[in-house]
């Protein structure tokens, strides 16, 4: 794994132009490192990302306005929230995504996830279920079956592909990486899965009900990711209905 870029001394930050190259390079390193951050010091990465955001947010507000599409409010929410249930690695990952998003909107680098489109990922071929790492092409959302079945009906054609795991009594949706970082739904019903987690993914043709792990909503070229906000709202509604 490549070493992270050298970070500019914070004491010089206010007197020098923003070092976008270092910010982008360091944030991308944090994202690419994934679970390997556990072997390093995620708190150091978190401190760096928070420092970058402390510089980027005022810059973005000055150039683009506080209601710009630059993700300013999202960056502020992530900074204020702290690691919480995300844990140090996923929190550092979330902050890094905000750094990349703000840098991109300020004309430096690309939005996180831009280099590889969702179509760049395909499920395993053959006849075996394979454990696939989340956090690169997609994050997953694990939902208890009793809630998930109602969510499938509620979303209808708006739902992306969904895996049913009868062994674990769960359904899995796929969403854009980082899009569930700040969710706060009850963990007994919903568990977002990002960096350092894995999902048992069946081949695309595993759709019949006789299979214990299958595609409950089949994966197609046009049906893959689910819009995270739509999924969140559907989950919140169904969970509230059973409370």
């Amino acid at each position: 794994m490549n070493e992270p870029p050298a970070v500019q001394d914070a004491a010089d930050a206010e007197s020098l132009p923003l070092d976008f190259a270092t910010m982008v390079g360091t944030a991308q390193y944090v994202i690419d490192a994934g679970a390997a951050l556990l072997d390093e010091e995620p708190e150091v990465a978190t401190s760096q990302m928070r420092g970058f955001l402390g510089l980027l947010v005022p810059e973005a507000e000055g150039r683009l306005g506080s209601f710009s599409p630059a993700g300013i409010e999202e960056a502020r929410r992530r900074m204020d929230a702290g690691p919480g249930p995300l844990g140090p690695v996923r929190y550092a990952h979330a902050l890094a995504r905000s750094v990349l998003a703000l840098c991109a909107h300020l004309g430096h680098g690309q939005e996180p996830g831009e280099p590889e489109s969702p179509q760049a990922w395909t499920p395993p071929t053959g006849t075996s279920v394979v454990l696939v790492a989340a956090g690169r092409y997609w994050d997953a959302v694990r939902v208890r079956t009793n809630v998930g079945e109602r969510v499938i009906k509620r979303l209808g054609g708006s739902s992306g592909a969904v895996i049913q795991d009868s062994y674990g009594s769960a359904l899995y949706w796929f969403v854009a990486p980082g899009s569930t970082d700040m969710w706060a739904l009850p963990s007994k019903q919903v568990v977002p899965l990002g960096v350092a987690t894995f999902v048992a993914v069946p081949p695309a043709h595993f759709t019949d009900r006789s299979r214990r792990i299958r595609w409950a909503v089949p994966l197609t070229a046009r049906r893959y990711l689910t819009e995270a906000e739509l999924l969140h709202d559907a989950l919140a509604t169904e969970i509230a209905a059973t409370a």
Side-chain angles (χ1 to χ4, degrees):
M1 183 180 299
N2 294 330
E3 292 295 320
V7 178
Q8 179 182 339
D9 192 319
D12 298 330
E14 294 185 3
S15 59
L16 295 175
L18 295 185
D19 187 350
F20 288 104
T22 294
M23 291 182 182
V24 170
T26 307
Q28 192 62 58
Y29 171 82
V30 169
I31 290 173
D32 291 343
L37 281 179
L38 289 171
D39 299 325
E40 301 176 15
E41 295 185 25
E43 293 79 7
V44 173
T46 295
S47 178
Q48 289 178 341
M49 296 304 103
R50 290 177 65 89
F52 291 161
L53 290 173
L55 298 172
L56 287 167
V57 167
E59 182 76 8
E61 287 178 335
R63 289 202 210 173
L64 304 171
S66 58
F67 297 101
S68 74
I72 294 171
E73 290 306 314
E74 181 66 19
R76 287 192 183 280
R77 282 196 297 272
R78 288 175 173 175
M79 291 174 70
D80 292 342
L86 291 177
V89 173
R90 288 191 66 202
Y91 182 57
H93 195 260
L95 293 176
R97 288 190 174 280
S98 282
V99 169
L100 291 181
L102 289 177
C103 285
H105 282 297
L106 289 168
H108 300 268
Q110 294 177 299
E111 287 272 18
E114 274 189 10
E116 295 173 305
S117 67
Q119 289 73 28
W121 177 79
T122 56
T125 57
T127 59
S128 299
V129 175
V130 176
L131 282 177
V132 179
R136 182 181 181 188
Y137 298 105
W138 40 260
D139 284 356
V141 179
R142 184 182 190 274
V143 182
R144 288 180 65 88
T145 298
N146 64 327
V147 174
E149 288 176 341
R150 297 197 302 274
V151 169
I152 288 177
K153 292 179 181 178
R154 176 172 289 276
L155 288 175
S158 297
S159 179
V162 181
I163 291 173
Q164 182 177 26
D165 182 349
S166 297
Y167 294 108
S169 299
L171 294 165
Y172 292 82
W173 273 262
F174 296 89
V175 296
S179 59
T180 66
D181 284 340
M182 306 311 292
W183 282 18
L185 294 170
S187 59
K188 288 185 178 181
Q189 285 89 13
V190 180
V191 180
L193 302 171
V195 171
T197 62
F198 293 82
V199 177
V201 178
H205 65 276
F206 278 32
T207 57
D208 59 278
R209 292 181 177 274
S210 65
R211 298 189 180 277
R212 302 298 300 275
I213 299 179
R214 70 183 187 96
W215 292 95
V217 178
L219 175 74
T220 69
R222 294 181 176 273
R223 184 168 56 200
Y224 168 22
L225 298 182
T226 299
E227 173 60 45
E229 187 172 348
L230 288 176
L231 179 58
H232 179 279
D233 290 349
L235 287 166
T237 299
E238 293 300 336
I239 290 170
T242 60

